[in-house]
Amino acid sequence: MAEVRLHHVFKRYGNVTAVNDFHLDIKDREFLVLVGPSGCGKSTTLRMVAGLEDISEGDLYIGNRRVNDVAPKDRDIAMVFQSYALYPHMNVYENMAFGLKLRKFSKTEIDSRIKETARILDIAHLLDRKPKALSGGQRQRVALGRAIVREPQVFLMDEPLSNLDAKLRVQMRTEIAKLHQRLETTVIYVTHDQTEAMTMGDRIVVMEDGLIQQVATTNDIYNHPVNQFVASFIGSPNMNFITGRTREEAGKVWFAARGIDIQFPDDQAQLLRKNGYVGKEITFGIRPEDIYRDNQFITANPFQSVFQAEVDVVENMGSELYVYFNNIGNSQMVARVDAREGLRPKMTVTLGMDLSKCHVFDAESEIALF
Ligand code: ADP
Ligand code: MG
């Protein structure tokens, strides 16, 4: 159990800055997820915590200790990799025992830790097997087990589920979350998968180009993204973005773009006025589920947000439809509607947006106003 604090941490490779001023206190027992597209610096950050990469600048603390210059084996961390990195010539028991032997644990202590961990992970029947005689999911459990027996203060996991098929990945996701509750340790978990990030993390760190974009809970990241990058990275299908102009008319603030002319609710209008966004180009954002097709919403809708759209493509997800339109705004737009609506290409439909959920971004900086 320990806090992990990264204070203004940089990693430079020549003139490439892979991690740029990473500054964050990770709480004791927190499940923290680093998420972002490939190459954004997630693994490099984790590897610096592990001690597998030198820190170019800044301070790293685990517990109360500054560990920049402490060897990986003395940091009291354990790491689980995407590749599992099991020793092929050792059986499961020996793989799990290896790190403990190195640290001079007694045979009885090693044995009791392995038995207990194997029971938790449901791999007790596999202890005699070599890795090549295990399925991908079983190997993944052994890799976790090898980390758990060490009873480290901090677990570091780098895309540990990426090599598993979709079904197993979902199953392991909940297992790792349960394991975290049981072990009561700090976990730093790296993934490029936004669903993993949202379902597993107490807090999520969204990174792009070596820079932290936002640190927040799933709900906050989803409902209050700080910029257009975070808004588009989290959520599936993506948030819709429409570029257009705002105007003041009869005491209200309106937004117009190709195919729509909508009126902001008063509290949002006030924010737009106060920040000088009236009479300007902005990027308007709305998530696919905040666009409604049903008449009840459209008639009871307190907002001036109704528009007509022509259906281009329909993806049937079973319970709902992802409906794409081409005649609104500057790029394709998508709405999630009930499958019972039975929409088909070429239909013209009336839709309404829940403007209490909409977002406005600065057209140039892409920073969210709300
Ligand atoms: P992620 O895990 O988010 O996909 P990485 O942390 O692996 O990203 O990489 C971040 C950036 O640092 C990338 O641009 C990558 O090319 C660069 N990088 C990583 N390792 C090295 C290295 N050993 N030498 C030079 N550049 C590196
Ligand atoms: Mg990586």
Side-chain angles (χ1 to χ4, degrees), residues 13 18 37-44:
Y13 296 107
S38 177
C40 72
K42 307 179 294 292
S43 295
T44 306

Side-chain angles (χ1 to χ4, degrees), residues 13 16-19 36-45 53 158-159 190:
Y13 296 107
V16 175
T17 304
V19 177
S38 177
C40 72
K42 307 179 294 292
S43 295
T44 306
T45 304
E53 298 282 354
D158 194 350
E159 314 238 3
V190 162

